[in-house]
């Protein structure tokens, strides 16, 4: 199987190395890599001057998109699919906005659209979700699906680092988004829970309607106060189906007690649970960010395409309504050095910090 890669940064470079290191018997080869001219020397003959050398190359079967962002990657994915190339992407930003169109184009052109690496890094999560919905309903998905913020919270809590220092380390290790605000304010998890929910429910859960708030205001004092009350702080996404065409979807900091398995998920690890109608609770755990875990998920997608296991097409049966959730849960609220537990919150911004009791 011949592959072309768009973007040779942390993730795309990881994919290139993993494929180059595979034994020849695995039959996967990278023919072309598109990136900035500064990568030309390193890539030699395989450097592609334009995306057309990848997306329209008659010798390439699979296009691996690892660039990040929306507009340009969107155009590249559409071009590749229309040219009957299967696409593998790790790009949650563009997938969360165009998932309907990408799957529809793949189906129309008889190729695969695969986005395992867009959620949960190296965890084989989307393929397991797709397997699950073939035999039972999945009506709740929850967990930690951002490695950077889990890393930051763990570093702050267990090693006493400041948020700034912890985030700088996450950036250095290649976990964070290009603009790390997407991690800290919950946009990245919002994109990921949009993708998981849409696939699980067979209907698009609009990304722009998912209410989220982040962890930028968490301090050492808040960690200490939570600890004194028996809690650990985690940043969690949850999607719960509430009706035929509605779901309660949230991305928010949560306070968990020690007996909640999420409290033991540390550093860049992710953990996700699926509530299945006949298979009960399914749990997943693994590295949710980082070069090789994410690259592994992408190479696994290429293998699935080779083995004809990439022929699932999500079809939107109608958009979902997303319920507002703030009024219906118990919250830990912190203001001016004091905290209390309240039923429902009207406005997160009227406190110094808010976390749902999970
Ligand atoms: N910034 C993301 C994270 C990368 O930390 O989870 C993987 O999607």
């Amino acid at each position: 199987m011949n592959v072309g890669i768009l973007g040779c940064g942390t993730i795309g470079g990881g994919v290139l190395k993993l494929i180059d290191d595979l034994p020849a018997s695995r039959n996967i080869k990278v023919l072309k890599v598109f990136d900035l001219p500064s990568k030309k020397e390193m890539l030699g003959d395989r450097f592609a001057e334009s995306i057309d050398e990848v997306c329209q190359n008659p010798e390439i079967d699979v296009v691996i998109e690892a660039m990040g962002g929306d507009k340009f990657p969107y155009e590249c994915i559409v071009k590749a699919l229309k040219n009957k190339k299967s696409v593998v992407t790790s790009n949650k930003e563009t997938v969360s906005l165009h998932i309907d169109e990408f799957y529809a184009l793949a189906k129309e052109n008889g190729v695969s659209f695969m986005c395992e690496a867009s959620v949960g890094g190296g965890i084989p999560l989307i393929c397991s979700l797709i397997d699950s919905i073939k035999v039972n309903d999945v009506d709740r998905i929850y967990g930690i699906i951002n490695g950077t913020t889990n890393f930051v919270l763990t570093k702050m809590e267990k090693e006493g680092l400041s948020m700034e220092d912890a985030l700088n380390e996450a950036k250095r290790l290649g976990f964070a988004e290009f603009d790390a605000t997407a991690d800290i304010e919950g946009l990245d998890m919002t994109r990921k829970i949009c993708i998981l929910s849409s696939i699980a429910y067979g209907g698009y859960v609009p990304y722009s309607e998912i209410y989220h708030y982040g962890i930028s205001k968490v301090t050492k004092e808040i960690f200490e106060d939570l600890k004194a009350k028996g809690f650990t702080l985690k940043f969690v996404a949850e999607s719960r189906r509430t009706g035929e065409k509605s779901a309660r979807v949230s991305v928010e900091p949560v306070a968990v007690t020690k007996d909640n398995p999420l409290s033991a998920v540390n550093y860049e690890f992710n953990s996700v649970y699926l509530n299945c109608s006949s298979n009960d609770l399914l749990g997943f755990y693994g590295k949710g960010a980082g070069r090789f875990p994410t690259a592994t998920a992408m190479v696994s997608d290429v293998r699935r395409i080779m083995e004809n296991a990439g022929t699932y097409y999500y079809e939107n049966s109608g958009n979902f309504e997303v319920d507002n959730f703030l009024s219906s849960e118990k919250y830990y609220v912190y203001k001016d050095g004091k905290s209390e537990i309240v039923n429902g919150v009207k406005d997160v911004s009227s406190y110094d910090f808010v976390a749902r009791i999970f």
Side-chain angles (χ1 to χ4, degrees), residues 143-202:
I144 295 166
I145 46 175
N146 182 273
T148 300
T149 46
N150 204 46
F151 181 88
V152 165
L153 291 177
T154 310
K155 283 276 177 187
M156 288 177 81
E157 185 182 18
K158 298 202 185 300
E159 299 177 28
L161 260 69
S162 67
M163 178 167 292
E164 196 188 350
D165 288 348
L167 187 57
N168 281 337
E169 200 171 333
K171 286 181 187 167
R172 194 177 51 75
L173 291 166
F175 302 153
E177 295 303 293
F178 179 68
D179 174 2
T181 324
D183 296 298
I184 298 294
E185 295 303 340
L187 286 177
D188 180 74
M189 280 213 280
T190 303
R191 291 170 183 141
K192 290 168 174 169
I193 199 72
C194 156
I195 296 168
L196 293 179
S197 307
S198 301
I199 293 175
Y201 308 149

Side-chain angles (χ1 to χ4, degrees), residues 125-134 138 141 196 199-200 274:
L125 178 60
I126 292 186
C127 62
S128 307
L129 174 63
I130 290 170
D131 267 359
S132 299
I133 56 172
K134 285 176 184 164
V138 173
I141 302 161
L196 293 179
I199 293 175
L274 308 180

Side-chain angles (χ1 to χ4, degrees), residues 16 33 50 72 81 85 111 142 144 165 185 206 224 257 308 311 326 352-353 355:
L16 180 64
V33 183
S50 73
F72 186 55
L81 292 170
K85 314 288 179 206
V111 291
Y142 67 94
I144 295 166
D165 288 348
E185 295 303 340
E224 278 163 11
T257 50
N308 289 323
T311 51
L326 284 169
D352 294 339
F353 188 73

Side-chain angles (χ1 to χ4, degrees), residues 18 40 82 104-105 168 170 175 196 246 249 276 296:
L18 283 188
K40 196 169 181 169
K82 285 188 173 166
L105 274 177
N168 281 337
F175 302 153
L196 293 179
S246 63
V249 191
C276 307
T296 303

Side-chain angles (χ1 to χ4, degrees), residues 53-66:
E53 278 183 52
V54 177
C55 298
Q56 296 184 327
N57 188 326
E59 287 176 61
I60 285 177
D61 311 293
V62 179
V63 172
I64 296 188
E65 187 278 305

